[in-house]
Amino acid sequence: MSSSPNEEGGLSQAASNENNQDLLGKPTQSGAKANTPEEQLSRLLDEASPTSTSSYEMVDEESVPDPYKDVQPHWFFCRRADDSTSWLPFSREDSDKLENTYTTGNPDEEVVIAVDGERYDVHVKERKRYAVYWEQGPTEVRRCTWFYKGDKDTRFMPYPEDFSKMLEEAFKDAVTSDQWKKKIDFPTGETVILHNPKLIMQYQPIGLQDDWISSPSEQTRPRTVKRGVDSISIDIPDGEPDQVDHLVFMVHGIGPACDLRFRSIIQCVNDFRSASLSLLASHYKRAQQDGLVGRVEFLPVNWHSALHGDATGVDEDIQRITLPSISRLRHFTNDTLLDLFFYNSPTYCQTIVDTVASEINRLYALFKQRHPDFNRAVSLVGHSLGSLILFDLLTNQKTESEVPSGNPSFLSSNTLEQILTKLDLKQYLDIFESENLDLESLSLCKDSDLKDLGIPLGPRKKILNCIKRRWLPEDCKAAATLQIHNAEDPGELSPEQSRFYRAQSVTSAVDYEYFNVGIGQNNGGIAKGQVSIDYPQLAFQPQAFFAFGSPIGMFLTVRGLKRIDPNYTFPTCKSFYNIYHPYDPVAYRIEPMIVSEVDLEPMLIPHHKGRKRMHLELKDSLTRMSMDLKNNVLGSLRTAWQSFARIPVAALPPVEEGEASADANSQEAQGVCVEAESSMNTEQTEESEIKVGMLNGGRRIDYVLQEKPIESFNEYLFAIQSHLCYWESEDTALLLLKDIYDKLGVAFEQPQQ
């Protein structure tokens, strides 16, 4: 057992001085004189104050103990951060599946159980949890029955399975014999005292304590020990629905980190998925109870590692020319901001677009393989630069009628042996053959899989890069076929395989052929300022495209595109939403490029709790009050000036003059009100009749989030945070869910306040 230097606690009652035996049958005695560390510990335990209750609650010793019952195990997995380790519980459904496999299966046979919505696989015998869709190291899994927590620990931690087994045997012996106040010394040096069924403490060996802890009271502060997961305070999820209603791929922006906590795209998408599950439970509760709503699956698409990996070598090239001063700032710039310049380079733009498309197609094929009954729609989400990548990719998709019907050119290598020979890596052929790997199965392999086979870093990068470029899974549709250019030695690839092959394109110089309207390729030409590359095809037609904090409008303008044709739509995607935070410095609007003659305000995204934020309502109220006050003051001044400048008529009595003046003022004020009301109605009518193009099927495109109250005090202070807030925004997640389930015909439910 490992020691913990910050453990604190106390005993509520004195430990027994009677001789006891440990689990190995070894007698333990408490002598009158404590000379050795073990004797010191025994004396301190026997003299513990009964008033020290910082680590546990007081219990009634006179209560009759319950008969012994087997402890109910629960399965946990380990999550390691930079300097911390935490154990998280599997959902009740997943834990039950693992426990059933453990108790009924063959202990010598490895069984793989899919958990967490089938995004992870648990190898029960190995006690490891592996990610399915992305690169991630395996994590440890435990079958947990006993837990401990020190005074300064924030949560209970599970004991190792072998130690828990020894504790359970000691607990069973104490229950069946009804002998408590028992001290048990374990072979690893730990001491556990069983006071009663609800009060169990663990003490570490004095020799394992830190040197700076000197006082005996600090040395013997115990851990609180609990039996069973029901006795500790922890939230255990029920599990995710098996039914997947929609699939969403999420593409990140510049750099490897996606938020201010420097978390990866995987962690951010996990949070977004959790928020969507919570919103489904609150806003589609009745539909879930009726079985009409399952869940939405979100999968991350990572392209940064491929661009900055060993295959391109761009990091080494940049590092050679980087100045040594302000190294941290220059490293941050090279790792993040340079992605913008890479995307405007024909060479690296091709790498980025190829990586995004091939990764989406790989994930889609793998998802279909694990969910063969899935026949619902798919959507795309892009953040920052990721939204621009998807925008360019979608503008260059081809419909089925545009895909060439003739036989494309062929590769010279149609077998794994030929590819390895061409890469000068034939020495690894025996390894692949021993695992029965062919081209199709190899296309589903990840870097970690090839590493497990013993293939070094350089060869496996070359193999993966070649396979990703030259082979797409057979689940891809025929619409993913492209006409191949510059192929070598045609004629050796079968038509079935060639349907999914896209050769590595030879990029040309940037083509600045301008078009006044429209986006994308027109008769083979490139839109304004768009890099001339060979755009790959997706294996599906997306239902919707959501852009978070997107610079699409700015890039289109810089490319020279002044206006988007209102009739333009993506070839294969009929919905497009541009979502942004009002203080996001990277975000730009799209609607003014379509409807330039009208100043159209963006659509305000409702708060997920069903109302506008209070500070925004107060701001609107103050604005209306100031406008009313301004109009009243101006009206009064205008009336006073007109009365002062009017020539008096002597024939009219003073009283009648006042009445006439009041009538005139009343009629003038009434005229002003009628004019304002007419203007307001006209403005509302004109705004409702505006057609915002066909990018989103005639619906609005620009949607703005509501800023938080604290953000409204200083918009500059929260600018960077505003660009990274979308992953944790429940309002954004709800907008996605509402669009998805509106198209499925499921009614939206506003939760009661």
Side-chain angles (χ1 to χ4, degrees):
M1 293 290 295
S2 62
S3 62
S4 175
N6 294 328
E7 295 164 356
E8 297 181 1
L11 290 174
S12 63
Q13 49 190 304
S16 173
N17 292 327
E18 299 176 356
N19 296 341
N20 299 286
Q21 290 185 346
D22 62 11
L23 293 177
L24 301 178
K26 177 181 176 181
T28 60
Q29 299 180 358
S30 57
K33 185 176 182 180
N35 296 323
T36 65
E38 290 77 5
E39 293 173 343
Q40 294 178 14
L41 176 62
S42 177
R43 178 174 57 83
L44 290 169
L45 296 178
D46 294 340
E47 296 175 357
S49 172
T51 62
S52 178
T53 59
S54 60
S55 294
Y56 46 85
E57 67 278 3
M58 299 295 293
V59 295
D60 185 9
E61 294 186 22
E62 302 301 329
S63 60
V64 178
D66 296 330
Y68 175 79
K69 297 180 181 179
D70 291 334
V71 63
Q72 182 62 40
H74 195 92
W75 291 71
F76 282 65
F77 64 92
C78 181
R79 175 179 293 174
R80 301 187 187 277
D82 296 334
D83 298 323
S84 62
T85 299
S86 58
W87 286 86
L88 303 177
F90 285 102
S91 67
R92 298 188 185 277
E93 180 182 356
D94 290 340
S95 181
D96 291 342
K97 290 192 298 184
L98 293 170
E99 181 64 19
N100 182 64
T101 303
Y102 173 81
T103 55
T104 61
N106 185 355
D108 297 329
E109 181 179 346
E110 184 62 273
V111 180
V112 178
I113 301 297
V115 296
D116 293 336
E118 297 197 20
R119 295 181 297 274
Y120 289 89
D121 285 337
V122 172
H123 294 217
V124 179
K125 179 183 177 182
E126 187 185 5
R127 295 293 198 274
K128 295 291 184 181
R129 171 176 171 263
Y130 293 88
V132 174
Y133 295 103
W134 51 79
E135 295 285 346
Q136 182 179 337
T139 56
E140 184 181 354
V141 172
R142 282 184 188 175
R143 180 177 181 264
C144 304
T145 54
W146 286 80
F147 305 85
Y148 69 89
K149 183 173 76 72
D151 239 16
K152 293 185 177 180
D153 295 334
T154 57
R155 63 177 64 187
F156 279 89
M157 301 283 285
Y159 281 112
E161 293 187 35
D162 54 350
F163 194 91
S164 296
K165 185 177 181 181
M166 291 188 291
L167 279 176
E168 184 64 23
E169 291 176 354
F171 181 83
K172 180 179 180 180
D173 179 67
V175 171
T176 54
S177 62
D178 197 19
Q179 295 182 2
W180 299 99
K181 298 182 179 179
K182 189 174 184 179
K183 184 177 71 174
I184 305 170
D185 296 325
F186 287 88
T188 53
E190 284 81 2
T191 299
V192 174
I193 298 182
L194 305 176
H195 291 283
N196 57 55
K198 296 185 178 180
L199 181 58
I200 304 172
M201 309 301 297
Q202 178 208 339
Y203 295 82
Q204 294 179 257
I206 293 181
L208 297 180
Q209 301 286 346
D210 287 347
D211 295 336
W212 58 271
I213 302 179
S214 57
S215 67
S217 61
E218 289 180 345
Q219 289 182 340
T220 56
R221 284 175 179 171
R223 289 171 170 173
T224 301
V225 181
K226 294 292 184 180
R227 177 177 181 264
V229 72
D230 295 334
S231 62
I232 64 176
S233 177
I234 189 171
D235 294 330
I236 301 178
D238 294 330
E240 301 179 12
D242 294 332
Q243 175 185 334
V244 179
D245 300 325
H246 201 85
L247 176 62
V248 180
F249 296 109
M250 310 191 80
V251 182
H252 65 85
I254 62 174
C258 294
D259 63 2
L260 290 179
R261 288 182 282 175
F262 297 97
R263 297 186 303 166
S264 66
I265 178 66
I266 298 173
Q267 295 171 303
C268 291
V269 172
N270 287 343
D271 277 358
F272 199 90
R273 185 188 305 109
S274 300
S276 71
L277 289 172
S278 176
L279 291 170
L280 284 176
S282 59
H283 292 73
Y284 294 90
K285 183 176 181 180
R286 186 176 305 172
Q288 276 192 336
Q289 294 174 350
D290 296 339
L292 301 177
V293 169
R295 63 183 173 93
V296 178
E297 182 61 275
F298 297 88
L299 295 180
V301 178
N302 186 0
W303 56 266
H304 182 270
S305 57
L307 175 64
H308 294 266
D310 298 332
T312 62
V314 63
D315 284 358
E316 296 180 1
D317 297 337
I318 293 295
Q319 187 61 36
R320 285 198 298 267
I321 60 176
T322 301
L323 300 181
S325 59
I326 53 173
S327 57
R328 293 187 178 180
L329 180 57
R330 295 187 190 278
H331 174 73
F332 172 79
T333 302
N334 293 345
D335 208 28
T336 56
L337 299 182
L338 285 187
D339 290 345
L340 292 172
F341 299 97
F342 287 144
Y343 188 69
N344 286 285
S345 162
T347 301
Y348 296 111
C349 180
Q350 185 72 68
T351 301
I352 294 174
V353 172
D354 282 350
T355 302
V356 170
S358 62
E359 182 68 4
I360 290 177
N361 286 334
R362 183 189 71 84
L363 292 173
Y364 179 72
L366 188 55
F367 182 84
K368 291 279 290 182
Q369 178 182 334
R370 297 178 69 89
H371 300 81
D373 297 332
F374 178 78
N375 57 359
R376 299 295 183 91
V378 184
S379 292
L380 299 175
V381 170
H383 174 243
S384 190
L385 181 60
S387 64
L388 179 64
I389 297 171
L390 290 176
F391 188 88
D392 289 341
L393 192 62
L394 290 176
T395 58
N396 291 283
Q397 294 296 291
K398 297 181 180 180
T399 60
E400 294 184 4
S401 60
E402 296 174 327
V403 176
S405 58
N407 289 332
S409 302
F410 295 89
L411 280 175
S412 60
S413 303
N414 63 341
T415 65
L416 180 59
E417 181 178 1
Q418 291 174 340
I419 288 181
L420 293 177
T421 302
K422 185 175 181 180
L423 295 175
D424 197 19
L425 299 174
K426 192 175 180 180
Q427 63 270 29
Y428 300 107
L429 180 62
D430 294 338
I431 298 178
F432 291 116
E433 290 181 345
S434 63
E435 299 292 335
N436 294 326
L437 287 174
D438 55 11
L439 284 176
E440 184 176 1
S441 57
L442 188 58
S443 66
L444 299 176
C445 290
K446 298 177 291 186
D447 183 79
S448 59
D449 299 326
L450 300 186
K451 184 178 180 180
D452 293 339
L453 295 178
I455 300 177
L457 177 62
R460 65 174 183 262
K461 289 295 184 182
K462 293 172 65 176
I463 294 172
L464 289 175
N465 184 61
C466 178
I467 293 299
K468 281 185 177 181
R469 285 184 174 277
R470 304 179 187 282
W471 179 259
L472 288 176
E474 194 169 348
D475 286 340
C476 297
K477 298 180 181 179
T481 308
L482 286 178
Q483 186 173 2
I484 310 303
H485 301 283
N486 302 321
E488 302 175 358
D489 300 329
E492 297 188 12
L493 190 64
S494 64
E496 290 76 16
Q497 292 176 337
S498 64
R499 288 170 48 210
F500 308 107
Y501 166 73
R502 189 185 67 77
Q504 180 177 357
S505 62
V506 179
T507 59
S508 61
V510 179
D511 187 347
Y512 287 103
E513 182 179 355
Y514 293 136
F515 297 94
N516 290 327
V517 295
I519 308 176
Q521 296 186 355
N522 293 346
N523 299 324
I526 305 299
K528 282 192 166 187
Q530 192 171 351
V531 177
S532 177
I533 63 172
D534 187 7
Y535 282 92
Q537 302 296 291
L538 296 178
F540 55 88
Q541 294 189 0
Q543 174 177 280
F545 168 39
F546 301 89
F548 295 168
S550 174
I552 292 175
M554 182 269 292
F555 270 84
L556 294 180
T557 303
V558 170
R559 291 171 179 176
L561 187 68
K562 297 183 181 296
R563 180 171 175 265
I564 299 176
D565 189 342
N567 295 320
Y568 176 79
T569 62
F570 294 125
T572 59
C573 181
K574 303 306 178 185
S575 296
F576 173 45
Y577 294 88
N578 182 39
I579 303 169
Y580 61 92
H581 190 281
Y583 302 153
D584 188 344
V586 181
Y588 290 83
R589 295 193 61 185
I590 296 294
E591 290 177 347
M593 299 188 68
I594 303 174
V595 186
S596 58
E597 62 275 7
V598 180
D599 186 11
L600 200 59
E601 291 292 327
M603 293 291 292
L604 185 67
I605 299 177
H607 192 268
H608 65 278
K609 292 185 178 180
R611 59 174 297 170
K612 187 181 291 187
R613 292 185 184 271
M614 186 173 296
H615 72 285
L616 294 179
E617 291 184 349
L618 180 61
K619 181 179 178 181
D620 293 343
S621 299
L622 293 176
T623 302
R624 287 194 298 267
M625 290 175 59
S626 63
M627 291 298 297
D628 293 341
L629 180 62
K630 179 181 178 181
N631 293 334
N632 292 335
V633 171
L634 291 178
S636 299
L637 291 176
R638 184 185 306 161
T639 302
W641 174 255
Q642 291 176 352
S643 299
F644 177 77
R646 184 181 296 114
I647 300 176
V649 180
L652 295 178
V655 176
E656 294 181 4
E657 179 182 348
E659 292 177 354
S661 177
D663 292 341
N665 294 339
S666 176
Q667 292 178 0
E668 182 178 356
Q670 185 177 0
V672 171
C673 293
V674 172
E675 182 180 355
E677 183 177 356
S678 176
S679 176
M680 184 179 300
N681 293 335
T682 302
E683 182 179 352
Q684 293 177 352
T685 303
E686 290 178 353
E687 184 172 328
S688 63
E689 293 178 353
I690 292 177
K691 303 299 183 183
V692 194
M694 297 305 296
L695 265 178
N696 196 23
R699 300 182 298 272
R700 296 296 302 273
I701 298 175
D702 292 337
Y703 287 79
V704 60
L705 292 167
Q706 302 180 38
E707 71 272 17
K708 297 178 181 178
I710 191 174
E711 295 173 344
S712 61
F713 288 106
N714 192 324
E715 56 191 46
Y716 294 97
L717 184 62
F718 295 94
I720 297 179
Q721 178 179 333
S722 300
H723 182 59
L724 305 173
C725 71
Y726 305 98
W727 305 108
E728 299 178 347
S729 171
E730 293 179 302
D731 300 344
T732 304
L734 185 59
L735 179 63
L736 266 70
L737 295 177
K738 195 172 186 307
D739 177 78
I740 291 171
Y741 285 102
D742 282 351
K743 293 175 181 177
L744 290 175
V746 180
F748 175 81
E749 306 169 21
Q750 185 62 52
Q752 297 181 355
Q753 301 295 325

